[in-house]
Amino acid sequence: MNLSILDQSPVSSGSTASGALQASMLLAQEGEKLGYKRYWIAEHHNYPALATSSPEVMLGYIGANTSSIRIGAGAILLPHYKPYKVAETFHLLATLFPGRVDLGIGRSPGGSAEAMIALSGNFLENVRKTPQLVEELLYFINRNFPNDHQFAQLNALPIPDVNPETWLLGTSGKSANLAAEKGLFYAFGYFMTEKNGPSIVQQYRQHFRVNSSGQPSQVIVAVSVICAETEEEANRIALSCLLWSIQASRGVTSGIPSVEEARAYSFNKDEKKILENVRSRMVIGNVRNVIEQLQNLQSTYKADEIMIVTITHSYKDRLKSYELIAEELALYIK
């Protein structure tokens, strides 16, 4: 089973964004040692609990402090940016770290309405233009504009020896169809949606068109996981993430609460329903239970890769979760 890491660089209560970013760098280094295939970092704006507003900057830091693990954005929110600038940025990263860079593309806002306006003006209009933005970005990445295009003579410099690997991230049939139409690899956010994921991924595969690179379809399924040595410990650690999910759904943007804060919290009836819903999209348990659930997900989705996102208050608990999984599957990680 190919395993990878998706990092949202969580800021714990009582900690700082600087501490969260340093923990992210350490996680990437440890992930490389443990045999994880990729390390992706997400993009969020005006969200104090998540530290990476600029994943491309963080990737320069991560790349300079690792040597073999693939590094990438999960995802660059394309409606906020011009394709040319994104291509330049990822060509530069791919030049610095040849054969290691992934460009994940998304179209969610990644923040508040005010942040959307500050970043891109009319965000919803840009979302409607996403297919055209993706097409233009791919032309810049692959340097194959039609001869009569206004950008035919424009290059996104520097030109790397190996292009960044391009993925489209999503949770819907619309994103699956776009990835299939453009011949892109597809990362499905299982942890973000209640939609029928297997049918969406099957739709992607059925409609996939091989692009100029000739590469076949590939699917990553991104899953929220908390693994510990015992079921009891995993559920105890997970409480802080579950409380944070409820707080975030109500607009509370403070850091990830501690386990002690979560255990002291009195969940009301509505919050318990939210909690059950969030738990249903998570994998929580001891290592054998977690591995079994991940293998079932891989089988159900026929996924080429499972990408794990783990949110805990303690960095040690987060790292331990990744360690337990990697050690159990050491023979299978490629």
Side-chain angles (χ1 to χ4, degrees):
M1 183 190 300
N2 283 319
L3 295 179
S4 292
I5 295 170
L6 174 60
D7 187 10
Q8 295 179 315
S9 204
V11 182
S12 297
S13 63
S15 186
T16 63
S18 176
L21 295 171
Q22 289 300 314
S24 288
M25 188 271 287
L26 292 173
L27 179 61
Q29 289 180 322
E30 292 301 317
E32 181 172 79
K33 293 176 186 175
L34 291 167
Y36 284 89
K37 184 175 182 179
R38 312 173 198 269
Y39 169 92
W40 283 4
I41 195 158
E43 176 180 342
H44 294 91
H45 299 282
N46 192 35
Y47 209 99
L50 302 174
T52 49
S53 56
S54 185
E56 64 273 25
V57 173
M58 192 63 182
L59 289 176
Y61 183 49
I62 296 291
N65 285 280
T66 55
S67 59
S68 60
I69 194 168
R70 294 194 66 91
I71 58 171
I76 294 295
L77 305 179
L78 191 57
H80 289 316
Y81 310 110
K82 290 289 189 179
Y84 181 54
K85 181 59 177 176
V86 175
E88 282 186 321
T89 298
F90 277 79
H91 272 178
L92 177 56
L93 287 168
T95 300
L96 287 169
F97 313 114
R100 295 178 56 202
V101 174
D102 298 330
L103 169 54
I105 306 164
R107 58 177 158 193
S108 68
S112 64
E114 293 83 359
M116 284 190 286
I117 294 169
L119 281 164
S120 53
N122 192 338
F123 175 78
L124 293 179
E125 178 61 25
N126 291 340
V127 168
R128 284 190 283 271
K129 294 177 181 177
T130 296
Q132 295 97 309
L133 295 174
V134 169
E135 183 173 85
E136 186 174 305
L137 175 61
L138 292 175
Y139 279 142
F140 279 122
I141 293 291
N142 297 314
R143 302 177 297 285
N144 60 355
F145 276 105
N147 291 333
D148 60 350
H149 195 281
Q150 64 173 326
F151 297 145
Q153 303 304 314
L154 179 62
N155 289 313
L157 300 174
I159 302 299
D161 292 334
V162 181
N163 283 347
E165 199 171 271
T166 309
W167 292 75
L168 188 68
L169 283 66
T171 58
S172 68
K174 186 177 290 186
S175 61
N177 285 337
L178 181 58
E181 178 188 341
K182 302 301 182 185
L184 297 174
F185 302 147
Y186 186 53
F188 179 76
Y190 173 86
F191 73 101
M192 297 172 61
T193 183
E194 300 174 35
K195 294 178 182 176
N196 186 349
S199 67
I200 291 172
V201 169
Q202 183 181 24
Q203 183 178 325
Y204 160 72
R205 287 199 175 96
Q206 286 177 341
H207 295 94
F208 182 81
R209 299 178 186 173
V210 178
N211 62 24
S212 58
S213 70
Q215 293 177 308
S217 63
Q218 284 193 52
V219 171
I220 286 175
V221 175
V223 187
S224 178
V225 179
I226 294 178
C227 183
E229 292 183 346
T230 66
E231 291 284 313
E232 181 182 8
E233 179 68 2
N235 282 296
R236 187 186 74 84
I237 292 169
L239 265 181
S240 62
C241 176
L242 292 166
L243 175 56
W244 174 66
S245 297
I246 290 172
Q247 292 172 334
S249 72
R250 299 194 166 167
V252 178
T253 58
S254 55
I256 314 302
S258 68
V259 172
E260 291 70 28
E261 289 172 314
R263 294 182 73 178
Y265 186 85
S266 180
F267 294 90
N268 63 36
K269 186 176 180 180
D270 290 340
E271 288 172 335
K272 287 179 180 178
K273 287 182 179 179
I274 297 172
L275 187 147
E276 289 174 7
N277 186 40
V278 173
R279 280 188 67 98
S280 71
R281 300 196 304 275
M282 295 180 68
V283 173
I284 303 170
N286 64 37
V287 66
R288 290 187 180 180
N289 185 3
V290 165
I291 295 301
E292 182 179 354
Q293 291 184 67
L294 293 180
Q295 289 173 332
N296 287 340
L297 280 169
Q298 183 190 31
S299 177
T300 299
Y301 281 85
K302 297 179 175 59
D304 299 286
E305 196 171 319
I306 297 293
M307 182 167 275
I308 296 171
V309 55
T310 299
I311 302 288
T312 62
H313 178 269
S314 163
Y315 169 71
K316 289 183 179 179
D317 288 336
R318 186 157 54 125
L319 177 58
K320 185 65 174 178
S321 182
Y322 284 108
E323 285 177 341
L324 288 169
I325 295 166
E327 289 166 2
E328 184 71 13
L329 289 177
L331 295 176
Y332 303 100
I333 295 176
K334 297 179 182 178

PDB file of all heavy atoms in Angstrom, residues 5 22-36 39 61-69 71 100 315 319:
ATOM      1  N   ILE A   5       1.333  11.675   3.159  1.00  0.00           N
ATOM      2  CA  ILE A   5       0.938  12.583   4.235  1.00  0.00           C
ATOM      3  C   ILE A   5       0.310  13.840   3.655  1.00  0.00           C
ATOM      4  O   ILE A   5       0.863  14.455   2.734  1.00  0.00           O
ATOM      5  CB  ILE A   5       2.168  12.980   5.081  1.00  0.00           C
ATOM      6  CG1 ILE A   5       2.738  11.764   5.813  1.00  0.00           C
ATOM      7  CG2 ILE A   5       1.826  14.099   6.081  1.00  0.00           C
ATOM      8  CD1 ILE A   5       4.086  12.017   6.479  1.00  0.00           C
ATOM      9  N   GLN A  22       7.185  24.683  12.198  1.00  0.00           N
ATOM     10  CA  GLN A  22       8.356  23.874  12.518  1.00  0.00           C
ATOM     11  C   GLN A  22       7.967  22.401  12.677  1.00  0.00           C
ATOM     12  O   GLN A  22       8.689  21.503  12.236  1.00  0.00           O
ATOM     13  CB  GLN A  22       9.028  24.388  13.791  1.00  0.00           C
ATOM     14  CG  GLN A  22       9.731  25.717  13.633  1.00  0.00           C
ATOM     15  CD  GLN A  22      10.832  25.670  12.583  1.00  0.00           C
ATOM     16  OE1 GLN A  22      11.643  24.749  12.538  1.00  0.00           O
ATOM     17  NE2 GLN A  22      10.857  26.669  11.708  1.00  0.00           N
ATOM     18  N   ALA A  23       6.809  22.161  13.288  1.00  0.00           N
ATOM     19  CA  ALA A  23       6.326  20.787  13.435  1.00  0.00           C
ATOM     20  C   ALA A  23       6.038  20.165  12.074  1.00  0.00           C
ATOM     21  O   ALA A  23       6.285  18.974  11.864  1.00  0.00           O
ATOM     22  CB  ALA A  23       5.070  20.768  14.310  1.00  0.00           C
ATOM     23  N   SER A  24       5.549  20.972  11.136  1.00  0.00           N
ATOM     24  CA  SER A  24       5.295  20.472   9.788  1.00  0.00           C
ATOM     25  C   SER A  24       6.592  20.050   9.101  1.00  0.00           C
ATOM     26  O   SER A  24       6.650  19.022   8.421  1.00  0.00           O
ATOM     27  CB  SER A  24       4.581  21.540   8.950  1.00  0.00           C
ATOM     28  OG  SER A  24       3.246  21.698   9.376  1.00  0.00           O
ATOM     29  N   MET A  25       7.630  20.845   9.268  1.00  0.00           N
ATOM     30  CA  MET A  25       8.907  20.480   8.673  1.00  0.00           C
ATOM     31  C   MET A  25       9.434  19.174   9.280  1.00  0.00           C
ATOM     32  O   MET A  25       9.913  18.287   8.571  1.00  0.00           O
ATOM     33  CB  MET A  25       9.916  21.611   8.888  1.00  0.00           C
ATOM     34  CG  MET A  25      11.238  21.415   8.128  1.00  0.00           C
ATOM     35  SD  MET A  25      12.451  20.491   9.096  1.00  0.00           S
ATOM     36  CE  MET A  25      12.920  21.743  10.314  1.00  0.00           C
ATOM     37  N   LEU A  26       9.319  19.045  10.608  1.00  0.00           N
ATOM     38  CA  LEU A  26       9.756  17.817  11.268  1.00  0.00           C
ATOM     39  C   LEU A  26       8.934  16.620  10.807  1.00  0.00           C
ATOM     40  O   LEU A  26       9.473  15.518  10.618  1.00  0.00           O
ATOM     41  CB  LEU A  26       9.640  17.975  12.788  1.00  0.00           C
ATOM     42  CG  LEU A  26      10.594  18.978  13.439  1.00  0.00           C
ATOM     43  CD1 LEU A  26      10.262  19.151  14.919  1.00  0.00           C
ATOM     44  CD2 LEU A  26      12.046  18.542  13.269  1.00  0.00           C
ATOM     45  N   LEU A  27       7.632  16.824  10.602  1.00  0.00           N
ATOM     46  CA  LEU A  27       6.774  15.738  10.124  1.00  0.00           C
ATOM     47  C   LEU A  27       7.205  15.274   8.737  1.00  0.00           C
ATOM     48  O   LEU A  27       7.232  14.068   8.452  1.00  0.00           O
ATOM     49  CB  LEU A  27       5.317  16.190  10.107  1.00  0.00           C
ATOM     50  CG  LEU A  27       4.304  15.158   9.606  1.00  0.00           C
ATOM     51  CD1 LEU A  27       4.315  13.907  10.485  1.00  0.00           C
ATOM     52  CD2 LEU A  27       2.901  15.762   9.552  1.00  0.00           C
ATOM     53  N   ALA A  28       7.537  16.210   7.866  1.00  0.00           N
ATOM     54  CA  ALA A  28       8.005  15.847   6.526  1.00  0.00           C
ATOM     55  C   ALA A  28       9.296  15.040   6.613  1.00  0.00           C
ATOM     56  O   ALA A  28       9.468  14.034   5.901  1.00  0.00           O
ATOM     57  CB  ALA A  28       8.212  17.096   5.682  1.00  0.00           C
ATOM     58  N   GLN A  29      10.206  15.458   7.467  1.00  0.00           N
ATOM     59  CA  GLN A  29      11.470  14.723   7.629  1.00  0.00           C
ATOM     60  C   GLN A  29      11.223  13.313   8.158  1.00  0.00           C
ATOM     61  O   GLN A  29      11.815  12.336   7.668  1.00  0.00           O
ATOM     62  CB  GLN A  29      12.400  15.481   8.582  1.00  0.00           C
ATOM     63  CG  GLN A  29      12.965  16.768   8.002  1.00  0.00           C
ATOM     64  CD  GLN A  29      13.873  17.479   8.989  1.00  0.00           C
ATOM     65  OE1 GLN A  29      13.609  17.505  10.194  1.00  0.00           O
ATOM     66  NE2 GLN A  29      14.965  18.051   8.488  1.00  0.00           N
ATOM     67  N   GLU A  30      10.362  13.208   9.163  1.00  0.00           N
ATOM     68  CA  GLU A  30      10.067  11.887   9.731  1.00  0.00           C
ATOM     69  C   GLU A  30       9.303  11.030   8.725  1.00  0.00           C
ATOM     70  O   GLU A  30       9.540   9.821   8.632  1.00  0.00           O
ATOM     71  CB  GLU A  30       9.268  12.033  11.035  1.00  0.00           C
ATOM     72  CG  GLU A  30      10.050  12.647  12.172  1.00  0.00           C
ATOM     73  CD  GLU A  30      11.297  11.843  12.517  1.00  0.00           C
ATOM     74  OE1 GLU A  30      11.215  10.605  12.574  1.00  0.00           O
ATOM     75  OE2 GLU A  30      12.358  12.466  12.722  1.00  0.00           O
ATOM     76  N   GLY A  31       8.393  11.648   7.977  1.00  0.00           N
ATOM     77  CA  GLY A  31       7.663  10.908   6.953  1.00  0.00           C
ATOM     78  C   GLY A  31       8.600  10.316   5.914  1.00  0.00           C
ATOM     79  O   GLY A  31       8.410   9.185   5.443  1.00  0.00           O
ATOM     80  N   GLU A  32       9.620  11.067   5.542  1.00  0.00           N
ATOM     81  CA  GLU A  32      10.626  10.580   4.595  1.00  0.00           C
ATOM     82  C   GLU A  32      11.344   9.363   5.175  1.00  0.00           C
ATOM     83  O   GLU A  32      11.526   8.349   4.485  1.00  0.00           O
ATOM     84  CB  GLU A  32      11.622  11.696   4.297  1.00  0.00           C
ATOM     85  CG  GLU A  32      12.707  11.328   3.306  1.00  0.00           C
ATOM     86  CD  GLU A  32      13.530  12.536   2.913  1.00  0.00           C
ATOM     87  OE1 GLU A  32      14.414  12.937   3.701  1.00  0.00           O
ATOM     88  OE2 GLU A  32      13.281  13.082   1.830  1.00  0.00           O
ATOM     89  N   LYS A  33      11.742   9.434   6.445  1.00  0.00           N
ATOM     90  CA  LYS A  33      12.443   8.311   7.081  1.00  0.00           C
ATOM     91  C   LYS A  33      11.545   7.079   7.177  1.00  0.00           C
ATOM     92  O   LYS A  33      12.019   5.942   7.049  1.00  0.00           O
ATOM     93  CB  LYS A  33      12.907   8.710   8.482  1.00  0.00           C
ATOM     94  CG  LYS A  33      13.985   9.783   8.515  1.00  0.00           C
ATOM     95  CD  LYS A  33      14.296  10.184   9.952  1.00  0.00           C
ATOM     96  CE  LYS A  33      15.257  11.360  10.015  1.00  0.00           C
ATOM     97  NZ  LYS A  33      15.469  11.816  11.421  1.00  0.00           N
ATOM     98  N   LEU A  34      10.256   7.304   7.413  1.00  0.00           N
ATOM     99  CA  LEU A  34       9.322   6.196   7.616  1.00  0.00           C
ATOM    100  C   LEU A  34       8.882   5.541   6.306  1.00  0.00           C
ATOM    101  O   LEU A  34       8.270   4.478   6.326  1.00  0.00           O
ATOM    102  CB  LEU A  34       8.077   6.697   8.373  1.00  0.00           C
ATOM    103  CG  LEU A  34       8.309   7.090   9.831  1.00  0.00           C
ATOM    104  CD1 LEU A  34       7.108   7.852  10.370  1.00  0.00           C
ATOM    105  CD2 LEU A  34       8.589   5.858  10.681  1.00  0.00           C
ATOM    106  N   GLY A  35       9.164   6.183   5.178  1.00  0.00           N
ATOM    107  CA  GLY A  35       8.828   5.586   3.893  1.00  0.00           C
ATOM    108  C   GLY A  35       7.564   6.098   3.242  1.00  0.00           C
ATOM    109  O   GLY A  35       7.084   5.499   2.278  1.00  0.00           O
ATOM    110  N   TYR A  36       6.998   7.186   3.755  1.00  0.00           N
ATOM    111  CA  TYR A  36       5.826   7.766   3.094  1.00  0.00           C
ATOM    112  C   TYR A  36       6.240   8.313   1.726  1.00  0.00           C
ATOM    113  O   TYR A  36       7.338   8.847   1.559  1.00  0.00           O
ATOM    114  CB  TYR A  36       5.210   8.865   3.960  1.00  0.00           C
ATOM    115  CG  TYR A  36       4.420   8.315   5.122  1.00  0.00           C
ATOM    116  CD1 TYR A  36       5.025   8.056   6.346  1.00  0.00           C
ATOM    117  CD2 TYR A  36       3.068   8.015   4.992  1.00  0.00           C
ATOM    118  CE1 TYR A  36       4.313   7.523   7.418  1.00  0.00           C
ATOM    119  CE2 TYR A  36       2.337   7.496   6.047  1.00  0.00           C
ATOM    120  CZ  TYR A  36       2.965   7.245   7.258  1.00  0.00           C
ATOM    121  OH  TYR A  36       2.252   6.710   8.299  1.00  0.00           O
ATOM    122  N   TYR A  39       4.611  14.174   0.713  1.00  0.00           N
ATOM    123  CA  TYR A  39       4.197  15.093   1.765  1.00  0.00           C
ATOM    124  C   TYR A  39       3.553  16.281   1.058  1.00  0.00           C
ATOM    125  O   TYR A  39       4.211  16.986   0.287  1.00  0.00           O
ATOM    126  CB  TYR A  39       5.392  15.563   2.600  1.00  0.00           C
ATOM    127  CG  TYR A  39       5.058  16.712   3.524  1.00  0.00           C
ATOM    128  CD1 TYR A  39       4.643  16.481   4.833  1.00  0.00           C
ATOM    129  CD2 TYR A  39       5.122  18.028   3.083  1.00  0.00           C
ATOM    130  CE1 TYR A  39       4.317  17.527   5.676  1.00  0.00           C
ATOM    131  CE2 TYR A  39       4.799  19.082   3.914  1.00  0.00           C
ATOM    132  CZ  TYR A  39       4.393  18.827   5.204  1.00  0.00           C
ATOM    133  OH  TYR A  39       4.055  19.870   6.030  1.00  0.00           O
ATOM    134  N   TYR A  61      10.974  25.471   1.959  1.00  0.00           N
ATOM    135  CA  TYR A  61      11.587  25.130   3.244  1.00  0.00           C
ATOM    136  C   TYR A  61      11.611  23.615   3.439  1.00  0.00           C
ATOM    137  O   TYR A  61      12.642  23.034   3.825  1.00  0.00           O
ATOM    138  CB  TYR A  61      10.794  25.814   4.356  1.00  0.00           C
ATOM    139  CG  TYR A  61      11.328  25.630   5.747  1.00  0.00           C
ATOM    140  CD1 TYR A  61      12.663  25.849   6.054  1.00  0.00           C
ATOM    141  CD2 TYR A  61      10.470  25.263   6.782  1.00  0.00           C
ATOM    142  CE1 TYR A  61      13.145  25.707   7.346  1.00  0.00           C
ATOM    143  CE2 TYR A  61      10.933  25.114   8.078  1.00  0.00           C
ATOM    144  CZ  TYR A  61      12.273  25.331   8.355  1.00  0.00           C
ATOM    145  OH  TYR A  61      12.743  25.189   9.642  1.00  0.00           O
ATOM    146  N   ILE A  62      10.494  22.977   3.144  1.00  0.00           N
ATOM    147  CA  ILE A  62      10.401  21.514   3.291  1.00  0.00           C
ATOM    148  C   ILE A  62      11.375  20.829   2.340  1.00  0.00           C
ATOM    149  O   ILE A  62      12.103  19.901   2.715  1.00  0.00           O
ATOM    150  CB  ILE A  62       8.965  21.033   3.014  1.00  0.00           C
ATOM    151  CG1 ILE A  62       7.979  21.595   4.041  1.00  0.00           C
ATOM    152  CG2 ILE A  62       8.905  19.505   2.969  1.00  0.00           C
ATOM    153  CD1 ILE A  62       8.122  21.071   5.426  1.00  0.00           C
ATOM    154  N   GLY A  63      11.403  21.278   1.089  1.00  0.00           N
ATOM    155  CA  GLY A  63      12.284  20.654   0.105  1.00  0.00           C
ATOM    156  C   GLY A  63      13.747  20.756   0.487  1.00  0.00           C
ATOM    157  O   GLY A  63      14.521  19.815   0.276  1.00  0.00           O
ATOM    158  N   ALA A  64      14.129  21.905   1.053  1.00  0.00           N
ATOM    159  CA  ALA A  64      15.524  22.114   1.431  1.00  0.00           C
ATOM    160  C   ALA A  64      15.932  21.271   2.633  1.00  0.00           C
ATOM    161  O   ALA A  64      17.122  21.063   2.866  1.00  0.00           O
ATOM    162  CB  ALA A  64      15.764  23.591   1.735  1.00  0.00           C
ATOM    163  N   ASN A  65      14.952  20.773   3.381  1.00  0.00           N
ATOM    164  CA  ASN A  65      15.251  19.989   4.574  1.00  0.00           C
ATOM    165  C   ASN A  65      14.881  18.508   4.436  1.00  0.00           C
ATOM    166  O   ASN A  65      14.821  17.777   5.433  1.00  0.00           O
ATOM    167  CB  ASN A  65      14.528  20.598   5.778  1.00  0.00           C
ATOM    168  CG  ASN A  65      15.200  21.874   6.256  1.00  0.00           C
ATOM    169  OD1 ASN A  65      16.199  21.829   6.968  1.00  0.00           O
ATOM    170  ND2 ASN A  65      14.668  23.014   5.842  1.00  0.00           N
ATOM    171  N   THR A  66      14.592  18.073   3.202  1.00  0.00           N
ATOM    172  CA  THR A  66      14.359  16.665   2.893  1.00  0.00           C
ATOM    173  C   THR A  66      15.138  16.345   1.624  1.00  0.00           C
ATOM    174  O   THR A  66      15.665  17.243   0.960  1.00  0.00           O
ATOM    175  CB  THR A  66      12.863  16.376   2.684  1.00  0.00           C
ATOM    176  OG1 THR A  66      12.341  17.265   1.669  1.00  0.00           O
ATOM    177  CG2 THR A  66      12.070  16.551   3.964  1.00  0.00           C
ATOM    178  N   SER A  67      15.186  15.064   1.270  1.00  0.00           N
ATOM    179  CA  SER A  67      15.991  14.712   0.099  1.00  0.00           C
ATOM    180  C   SER A  67      15.304  13.779  -0.892  1.00  0.00           C
ATOM    181  O   SER A  67      15.690  13.742  -2.063  1.00  0.00           O
ATOM    182  CB  SER A  67      17.304  14.067   0.538  1.00  0.00           C
ATOM    183  OG  SER A  67      17.047  12.897   1.298  1.00  0.00           O
ATOM    184  N   SER A  68      14.295  13.034  -0.464  1.00  0.00           N
ATOM    185  CA  SER A  68      13.723  12.039  -1.375  1.00  0.00           C
ATOM    186  C   SER A  68      12.209  12.028  -1.430  1.00  0.00           C
ATOM    187  O   SER A  68      11.626  11.679  -2.467  1.00  0.00           O
ATOM    188  CB  SER A  68      14.220  10.632  -0.991  1.00  0.00           C
ATOM    189  OG  SER A  68      13.826  10.312   0.335  1.00  0.00           O
ATOM    190  N   ILE A  69      11.524  12.371  -0.365  1.00  0.00           N
ATOM    191  CA  ILE A  69      10.070  12.335  -0.357  1.00  0.00           C
ATOM    192  C   ILE A  69       9.525  13.351  -1.361  1.00  0.00           C
ATOM    193  O   ILE A  69      10.074  14.447  -1.521  1.00  0.00           O
ATOM    194  CB  ILE A  69       9.524  12.616   1.064  1.00  0.00           C
ATOM    195  CG1 ILE A  69       8.046  12.257   1.165  1.00  0.00           C
ATOM    196  CG2 ILE A  69       9.784  14.060   1.501  1.00  0.00           C
ATOM    197  CD1 ILE A  69       7.520  12.245   2.598  1.00  0.00           C
ATOM    198  N   ILE A  71       7.190  16.249  -2.619  1.00  0.00           N
ATOM    199  CA  ILE A  71       6.586  17.362  -1.888  1.00  0.00           C
ATOM    200  C   ILE A  71       5.607  18.090  -2.796  1.00  0.00           C
ATOM    201  O   ILE A  71       5.823  18.187  -4.006  1.00  0.00           O
ATOM    202  CB  ILE A  71       7.660  18.337  -1.368  1.00  0.00           C
ATOM    203  CG1 ILE A  71       8.513  18.886  -2.521  1.00  0.00           C
ATOM    204  CG2 ILE A  71       8.528  17.666  -0.317  1.00  0.00           C
ATOM    205  CD1 ILE A  71       9.454  20.011  -2.109  1.00  0.00           C
ATOM    206  N   ARG A 100      10.662  15.640  -7.752  1.00  0.00           N
ATOM    207  CA  ARG A 100      10.046  15.473  -6.430  1.00  0.00           C
ATOM    208  C   ARG A 100       8.793  16.316  -6.232  1.00  0.00           C
ATOM    209  O   ARG A 100       8.133  16.187  -5.192  1.00  0.00           O
ATOM    210  CB  ARG A 100      11.041  15.855  -5.322  1.00  0.00           C
ATOM    211  CG  ARG A 100      12.257  14.975  -5.201  1.00  0.00           C
ATOM    212  CD  ARG A 100      13.180  15.505  -4.105  1.00  0.00           C
ATOM    213  NE  ARG A 100      12.479  15.623  -2.829  1.00  0.00           N
ATOM    214  CZ  ARG A 100      12.851  16.412  -1.829  1.00  0.00           C
ATOM    215  NH1 ARG A 100      13.917  17.188  -1.964  1.00  0.00           N
ATOM    216  NH2 ARG A 100      12.178  16.452  -0.708  1.00  0.00           N
ATOM    217  N   TYR A 315       1.914  17.376  18.914  1.00  0.00           N
ATOM    218  CA  TYR A 315       2.705  16.916  17.770  1.00  0.00           C
ATOM    219  C   TYR A 315       3.196  15.490  17.993  1.00  0.00           C
ATOM    220  O   TYR A 315       3.239  14.687  17.058  1.00  0.00           O
ATOM    221  CB  TYR A 315       3.904  17.839  17.537  1.00  0.00           C
ATOM    222  CG  TYR A 315       4.887  17.259  16.544  1.00  0.00           C
ATOM    223  CD1 TYR A 315       4.565  17.176  15.193  1.00  0.00           C
ATOM    224  CD2 TYR A 315       6.120  16.747  16.961  1.00  0.00           C
ATOM    225  CE1 TYR A 315       5.439  16.612  14.278  1.00  0.00           C
ATOM    226  CE2 TYR A 315       7.007  16.193  16.057  1.00  0.00           C
ATOM    227  CZ  TYR A 315       6.661  16.127  14.710  1.00  0.00           C
ATOM    228  OH  TYR A 315       7.522  15.551  13.808  1.00  0.00           O
ATOM    229  N   LEU A 319       2.760  12.507  15.297  1.00  0.00           N
ATOM    230  CA  LEU A 319       3.866  11.728  14.758  1.00  0.00           C
ATOM    231  C   LEU A 319       3.724  10.252  15.105  1.00  0.00           C
ATOM    232  O   LEU A 319       3.958   9.382  14.257  1.00  0.00           O
ATOM    233  CB  LEU A 319       5.190  12.262  15.297  1.00  0.00           C
ATOM    234  CG  LEU A 319       6.439  11.494  14.880  1.00  0.00           C
ATOM    235  CD1 LEU A 319       6.578  11.452  13.363  1.00  0.00           C
ATOM    236  CD2 LEU A 319       7.690  12.091  15.519  1.00  0.00           C
TER     237      LEU A 319
END
